[in-house]
Short mmCIF file of all heavy atoms in Angstrom, two decimals:
data_model
loop_
_atom_site.label_atom_id
_atom_site.label_comp_id
_atom_site.label_asym_id
_atom_site.label_seq_id
_atom_site.Cartn_x
_atom_site.Cartn_y
_atom_site.Cartn_z
N LEU A 21 4.90 18.17 9.27
CA LEU A 21 4.06 19.22 9.81
C LEU A 21 4.72 20.56 9.54
O LEU A 21 5.93 20.68 9.58
CB LEU A 21 3.87 19.05 11.31
CG LEU A 21 3.01 17.87 11.73
CD1 LEU A 21 2.94 17.82 13.24
CD2 LEU A 21 1.62 17.99 11.15
N ARG A 38 -6.45 22.22 -8.81
CA ARG A 38 -5.79 20.99 -9.18
C ARG A 38 -6.78 20.02 -9.81
O ARG A 38 -6.46 19.32 -10.75
CB ARG A 38 -5.13 20.35 -7.97
CG ARG A 38 -4.22 19.21 -8.38
CD ARG A 38 -3.72 18.46 -7.20
NE ARG A 38 -4.86 18.04 -6.40
CZ ARG A 38 -4.78 17.22 -5.39
NH1 ARG A 38 -3.62 16.77 -5.01
NH2 ARG A 38 -5.84 16.88 -4.72
N GLU A 111 4.33 11.06 12.12
CA GLU A 111 5.46 11.53 11.32
C GLU A 111 6.63 10.57 11.45
O GLU A 111 7.42 10.41 10.53
CB GLU A 111 5.92 12.88 11.86
CG GLU A 111 5.34 14.04 11.13
CD GLU A 111 6.27 15.23 11.28
OE1 GLU A 111 6.57 15.61 12.42
OE2 GLU A 111 6.69 15.75 10.24
N ASP A 131 -24.17 -14.38 5.03
CA ASP A 131 -23.93 -15.60 4.26
C ASP A 131 -22.56 -15.62 3.60
O ASP A 131 -22.08 -16.67 3.19
CB ASP A 131 -25.01 -15.77 3.17
CG ASP A 131 -26.39 -15.99 3.79
OD1 ASP A 131 -26.46 -16.38 4.98
OD2 ASP A 131 -27.41 -15.75 3.09
N ARG A 143 -11.33 -3.68 -4.03
CA ARG A 143 -11.27 -3.81 -5.49
C ARG A 143 -12.64 -3.80 -6.18
O ARG A 143 -12.80 -3.14 -7.21
CB ARG A 143 -10.49 -5.07 -5.88
CG ARG A 143 -10.22 -5.18 -7.38
CD ARG A 143 -9.23 -6.27 -7.72
NE ARG A 143 -7.91 -6.02 -7.19
CZ ARG A 143 -7.29 -6.81 -6.30
NH1 ARG A 143 -7.87 -7.91 -5.88
NH2 ARG A 143 -6.09 -6.51 -5.86
N VAL A 163 -15.40 20.68 6.71
CA VAL A 163 -15.97 20.15 5.46
C VAL A 163 -14.85 19.34 4.83
O VAL A 163 -13.76 19.85 4.59
CB VAL A 163 -16.43 21.28 4.52
CG1 VAL A 163 -16.89 20.72 3.19
CG2 VAL A 163 -17.54 22.09 5.17
N VAL A 244 -17.55 6.83 7.58
CA VAL A 244 -18.00 8.22 7.55
C VAL A 244 -19.53 8.23 7.55
O VAL A 244 -20.16 7.70 6.64
CB VAL A 244 -17.46 8.96 6.31
CG1 VAL A 244 -18.02 10.38 6.24
CG2 VAL A 244 -15.93 9.02 6.33
N ILE A 257 -10.30 0.45 10.30
CA ILE A 257 -11.18 -0.69 10.60
C ILE A 257 -10.52 -2.03 10.25
O ILE A 257 -9.94 -2.18 9.17
CB ILE A 257 -12.51 -0.54 9.82
CG1 ILE A 257 -13.27 0.70 10.33
CG2 ILE A 257 -13.37 -1.80 9.92
CD1 ILE A 257 -14.44 1.10 9.45
N ALA A 270 -17.04 1.90 22.32
CA ALA A 270 -16.01 2.34 23.27
C ALA A 270 -16.48 3.59 24.04
O ALA A 270 -16.27 3.69 25.24
CB ALA A 270 -14.71 2.64 22.51
N PRO A 276 -21.76 6.35 29.45
CA PRO A 276 -23.10 6.01 28.94
C PRO A 276 -24.10 7.15 29.03
O PRO A 276 -25.04 7.20 28.22
CB PRO A 276 -23.52 4.81 29.81
CG PRO A 276 -22.57 4.74 30.95
CD PRO A 276 -21.33 5.47 30.55
N GLY A 280 -24.48 8.25 23.53
CA GLY A 280 -25.47 7.22 23.25
C GLY A 280 -25.13 6.46 21.98
O GLY A 280 -24.18 6.79 21.27
N GLN A 296 -25.21 21.93 22.31
CA GLN A 296 -24.83 21.50 20.95
C GLN A 296 -25.46 22.41 19.90
O GLN A 296 -25.48 22.06 18.71
CB GLN A 296 -25.27 20.04 20.69
CG GLN A 296 -24.55 19.00 21.52
CD GLN A 296 -23.07 18.84 21.15
OE1 GLN A 296 -22.44 19.73 20.58
NE2 GLN A 296 -22.50 17.70 21.50
N LYS A 298 -24.54 25.27 18.68
CA LYS A 298 -23.63 25.96 17.76
C LYS A 298 -22.35 25.17 17.58
O LYS A 298 -22.05 24.26 18.35
CB LYS A 298 -23.30 27.36 18.30
CG LYS A 298 -24.46 28.30 18.17
CD LYS A 298 -24.07 29.71 18.53
CE LYS A 298 -25.25 30.62 18.31
NZ LYS A 298 -25.09 31.88 19.04
N LYS A 307 -19.04 31.55 15.34
CA LYS A 307 -19.71 30.26 15.41
C LYS A 307 -20.91 30.25 14.48
O LYS A 307 -21.49 31.28 14.20
CB LYS A 307 -20.18 29.99 16.85
CG LYS A 307 -19.03 29.63 17.76
CD LYS A 307 -19.53 29.02 19.05
CE LYS A 307 -18.35 28.53 19.87
NZ LYS A 307 -18.80 27.87 21.11
N HIS A 322 -36.15 10.10 8.15
CA HIS A 322 -37.11 8.98 8.12
C HIS A 322 -36.63 7.76 8.90
O HIS A 322 -37.43 6.93 9.31
CB HIS A 322 -37.39 8.58 6.67
CG HIS A 322 -36.22 7.95 5.99
ND1 HIS A 322 -35.22 8.67 5.37
CD2 HIS A 322 -35.85 6.65 5.85
CE1 HIS A 322 -34.32 7.85 4.87
NE2 HIS A 322 -34.67 6.62 5.15
#
Side-chain angles (χ1 to χ4, degrees):
L21 290 179
R38 191 188 54 171
E111 264 205 304
D131 295 341
R143 188 169 295 119
V163 175
V244 176
I257 294 168
Q296 293 292 22
K298 287 187 177 161
K307 285 195 174 183
H322 68 275

